[in-house]
Amino acid sequence: MKKLSVIIPCYNEAEGRIPEVAYNRLLKVMKSMENYEYEFIFVNDGSKDDTLLILKELAEKDQNVKVLSFSRNFGHQCAVTAGLKKVTGNACIIIDADMQDPPELIPEMVKLWEEGNDVVYGKRRSRDGESAFKLLTANAFYSFLNYMSDVDIPQNTGDFRLVDRKVVDKMNSLPEHSKFLRGLWAWLGYKQKELEYDRAERFAGTTHYPLKKMLKLASDGIYSFSSKPVKAIGLVGVIFLIFAFVSFCGTIISVIVGGPTFNWFIVSALCFIGGINMFALYLLGNYIIRIYDEAKGRPQFVVDEEIN
Ligand code: UDP
Ligand code: MG
């Protein structure tokens, strides 16, 4: 019998006994799929409230509930990364505890997985009950990330997805420490399929992704998937050097026609120094990018199958 592992990160979710409600809803879905075993991997990301207590109660009641508890808050991406290492099923599903992503979609995901897709990711068609500010920043974030990033990260997708075990194993084998999962799933490749859904409102509690954490996530995404900022520095350097050249020509012409030369020369010198500086930073940046790429230790390629 195939087994499905569900990873549920939880941080300060005791209000409204969120993990228990999530457990009941997930259990109902799992029971509706008769041909599969299941395990729930709850990751307590250093909650300061009674979340861990609730999780312990669940684990006592149900042997299929596994709990991993952090010593302090390490962040959602770390919680999911830790959960991925515990997966024993043939596929895993990553879902938030607040049930904003409907678990009732899991059977559909499993069906698409059984049809041969390795990753089935949820794509938000709409988002209920999120502030205009969150919607605006989220939209800006996804567009900006997509523009900046060197791999194609699908828009309006979060971490809600089903992933085949072989892809989970590849993800676990990546040595980089601060993993921006959404980007890495895209980077890993494999047969990916999107599934559109409407994102619900939180049924209790409040978001743990304030602006500060969102900015951190955004910068992780950009730093680990983009070399565009360095290219931008190079471009500015070149523009300065062009200005320097034009003003230098102005100086020469002024000398020939006997006009004022001082201003032309000053502008030319300043642009030249600025331009050279920027260009030097660009060169250094390129070395740093290469060092960073090596340090991330991502393999050069990912093999899916080998025949004969
Ligand atoms: N979460 C976590 N660690 C954190 C912040 C959030 O494990 O530092 C969990 C949280 O319990 C929830 C999921 O990650 O299950 C998504 O968080 P949240 O609902 O607050 O984010 P939003 O849906 O508002 O983006
Ligand atoms: Mg949420």
Side-chain angles (χ1 to χ4, degrees):
M1 201 142 83
K2 283 185 184 167
K3 183 169 169 184
L4 302 170
S5 307
V6 186
I7 300 173
I8 312 124
C10 303
Y11 175 54
N12 288 349
E13 299 286 20
E15 194 182 333
R17 294 182 67 82
I18 290 175
E20 191 179 353
V21 178
Y23 167 80
N24 288 328
R25 226 170 117 184
L26 281 164
L27 191 67
K28 210 168 138 204
V29 172
M30 290 304 171
K31 289 267 157 78
S32 75
M33 294 187 293
E34 281 157 10
N35 299 323
Y36 298 94
E37 285 182 290
Y38 68 90
E39 69 176 348
F40 295 151
I41 304 167
F42 284 93
V43 184
N44 171 38
D45 184 11
S47 302
K48 289 177 197 79
D49 60 6
D50 288 340
T51 302
L52 183 59
L53 215 72
I54 299 172
L55 294 180
K56 281 183 176 162
E57 281 168 29
L58 293 174
E60 211 159 287
K61 229 171 45 184
D62 184 346
Q63 283 296 306
N64 298 317
V65 171
K66 294 172 183 161
V67 180
L68 194 71
S69 186
F70 285 174
S71 58
R72 65 166 173 85
N73 181 242
F74 283 91
H76 172 252
Q77 298 286 299
C78 280
V80 176
T81 303
L84 286 170
K85 304 233 185 228
K86 292 279 165 209
V87 167
T88 63
N90 304 80
C92 91
I93 294 129
I94 303 163
I95 191 166
D96 288 352
D98 59 9
M99 300 282 103
Q100 281 191 279
D101 310 309
E104 290 72 25
L105 226 60
I106 293 175
E108 177 73 20
M109 288 180 149
V110 171
K111 195 172 144 250
L112 288 168
W113 169 58
E114 292 285 13
E115 284 169 9
N117 295 292
D118 299 313
V119 178
V120 183
Y121 57 87
K123 187 176 162 78
R124 299 159 188 169
R125 201 184 300 133
S126 68
R127 289 159 163 248
D128 258 0
E130 307 231 51
S131 66
F133 177 72
K134 172 110 191 184
L135 285 181
L136 196 78
T137 46
N139 261 333
F141 166 55
Y142 285 119
S143 311
F144 186 60
L145 184 64
N146 232 32
Y147 168 73
M148 293 296 276
S149 122
D150 303 329
V151 293
D152 239 346
I153 302 173
Q155 297 243 354
N156 288 318
T157 60
D159 290 297
F160 180 43
R161 61 187 64 224
L162 178 148
V163 188
D164 187 275
R165 176 62 180 278
K166 72 178 175 195
V167 189
V168 173
D169 288 342
K170 283 277 173 342
M171 177 66 91
N172 288 340
S173 74
L174 294 182
E176 65 187 273
H177 285 298
S178 100
K179 284 187 175 153
F180 180 68
L181 293 169
R182 279 162 229 196
L184 284 172
W185 294 126
W187 180 87
L188 277 169
Y190 290 93
K191 203 155 175 235
Q192 308 227 0
K193 178 90 185 159
E194 72 174 40
L195 183 61
E196 280 201 313
Y197 71 103
D198 299 302
R199 194 160 205 242
E201 213 170 322
R202 240 178 192 279
F203 70 87
T206 49
T207 177
H208 302 105
Y209 259 103
L211 186 64
K212 198 174 135 207
K213 273 191 190 170
M214 286 219 293
L215 287 177
K216 163 88 172 55
L217 185 70
S219 59
D220 275 353
I222 288 159
Y223 281 126
S224 51
F225 281 96
S226 176
S227 50
K228 284 209 173 90
V230 171
K231 289 186 186 129
I233 296 177
L235 186 68
V236 174
V238 168
I239 292 171
F240 268 69
L241 288 176
I242 291 171
F243 269 124
F245 180 71
V246 171
S247 341
F248 190 69
C249 292
T251 318
I252 304 273
I253 292 167
S254 257
V255 166
I256 293 169
V257 303
T261 53
F262 185 69
N263 285 351
W264 281 107
F265 184 70
I266 289 291
V267 170
S268 168
L270 283 178
C271 285
F272 183 71
I273 294 168
I276 286 287
N277 266 321
M278 289 289 218
F279 203 73
L281 281 179
Y282 168 74
L283 293 181
L284 283 180
N286 273 300
Y287 282 103
I288 293 173
I289 287 173
R290 279 161 181 75
I291 296 171
Y292 183 40
D293 276 344
E294 293 293 329
K296 278 187 288 199
R298 282 182 206 159
Q300 274 177 292
F301 43 78
V302 179
V303 179
D304 181 10
E305 277 179 76
E306 223 180 290
I307 295 155
N308 289 342

